[in-house]
Each structure stands twice: as C-alpha cells, then as structure tokens.
Amino acid sequence: KCPFCRHPLPATTAEAKANEMKRVEANDPVAIRQKGADCCKKEEFDTAFQYLTKAAELGDIVAHYQLSLMHKNGEVAEKDEKKRVYHLEEAAIGGHPEARYELGMIEFGIGMERMDRAIKHWMIGAYLGDEQSLTALKLGYPIGFVSKEDFATALR
C-alpha cells in the first residue's frame, strides 16, 4: 500500500500513469513538476515549460530551478537572463542549494564589487549541503576572497 494515501500500489504501467494524471489534475505541484521533467527528457520543451510553470506557480522550488535551467540552456522561446535569475532567486529563497551556488556564480561573474554577495550565497549553499558551494569557498579562501571566520563556519 501507498504510505501516503493507503491505496494499493498500481499493478500496471497504465494504472500508474492514470494515478499520475489524477495527481496532475488535482494540482499536485510535485506530480506536475515530474510530468514537466518527463517532457524535458523527451525534448518536448514547450509542454515541459507549461508544466514546470504551473508547478512553480503552485510553489514548487525544484520547478523554479528547472525553469532557470531551461532559460539558461535556451530550451524556451528565447534565452532570458532576467527570468533565469528570477527563478533561481525563488528556488534559493525556498531552500534549493544548487540555486544558491548558481546565484553565487552570477554575482561572482559581475565583478569584485559583488563578491560579498557571492560569498553569502555560497555560505548558505554550503550550509544546505551543496558541495559546489563549499568548493567555491575553498577556492576563495587561499586568495583572500573568503575570511577565515566564514571559511570555518562553512566547514562546520
């Protein structure tokens, strides 16, 4: 039985797909995001964009992150850096560690005047368990971008 709804598990693939569509029709953001991810795998990007947008509107942070990747990779009508950053910010606010790393890289790419913001993003990402954020901090420490206190905090 399903640990969430206690219904018997589907016996066939057709039953599983029917159950998935019921969840999509019930506006389950995780099911909608999964449907969008499946469309991405099939390279049906327009359909994937619609599903992921709906999931993001329902508050799914992973959908926001996936939408940012679609904008980055040009899998939508056109690449849009502002929309990419918007979706990264929404995902980061929701606690998505990779989104924090990506925002840190964007801030780092802007220049030295934004390095403090990049470090803050990487600190939060490292706290959330993101290895890339921790690596960025490790690389920044020996050259003086990251303070000893910040580096010690990230290693805890």
Side-chain angles (χ1 to χ4, degrees):
K1 290 188 172 190
C2 173
F4 301 107
C5 66
R6 307 214 190 283
H7 287 291
L9 293 175
T12 65
T13 305
E15 283 181 30
K17 288 188 181 208
N19 288 348
E20 180 183 10
M21 286 311 296
K22 282 182 190 176
R23 289 179 55 211
V24 168
E25 290 166 4
N27 281 336
D28 178 353
V30 175
I32 295 169
R33 175 194 5 110
Q34 188 58 47
K35 192 77 172 157
D38 292 344
C39 291
C40 274
K41 289 177 188 172
K42 297 175 191 173
E43 296 187 3
E44 299 170 358
F45 297 120
D46 291 337
T47 307
F49 182 76
Q50 291 172 355
Y51 280 118
L52 291 171
T53 301
K54 177 72 172 174
E57 288 170 356
L58 293 170
D60 190 277
I61 62 167
V62 177
H64 276 292
Y65 183 70
Q66 288 178 331
L67 284 167
S68 77
L69 294 176
M70 290 184 78
H71 283 287
K72 177 182 177 182
N73 298 332
E75 295 166 346
V76 291
E78 58 188 52
K79 284 187 178 185
D80 189 334
E81 190 64 19
K82 286 183 180 180
K83 287 183 182 178
R84 174 183 176 225
V85 170
Y86 166 77
H87 287 296
L88 281 174
E89 287 173 345
E90 290 296 313
I93 289 167
H96 198 282
E98 289 89 4
R100 284 287 177 184
Y101 170 75
E102 291 289 332
L103 284 171
M105 292 305 292
I106 290 170
E107 297 290 352
F108 176 71
I110 290 174
M112 293 304 296
E113 66 273 2
R114 300 292 282 269
M115 183 56 83
D116 59 325
R117 292 180 64 156
I119 291 168
K120 286 179 185 176
H121 283 300
W122 292 330
M123 292 287 296
I124 295 168
Y127 178 76
L128 293 172
D130 183 54
E131 288 293 322
Q132 290 179 306
S133 294
L134 186 59
T135 301
L137 291 169
K138 284 180 185 177
L139 293 172
Y141 175 67
I143 53 178
F145 290 149
V146 180
S147 71
K148 185 175 183 177
E149 296 81 27
D150 286 344
F151 189 60
T153 302
L155 291 176
R156 289 185 200 145

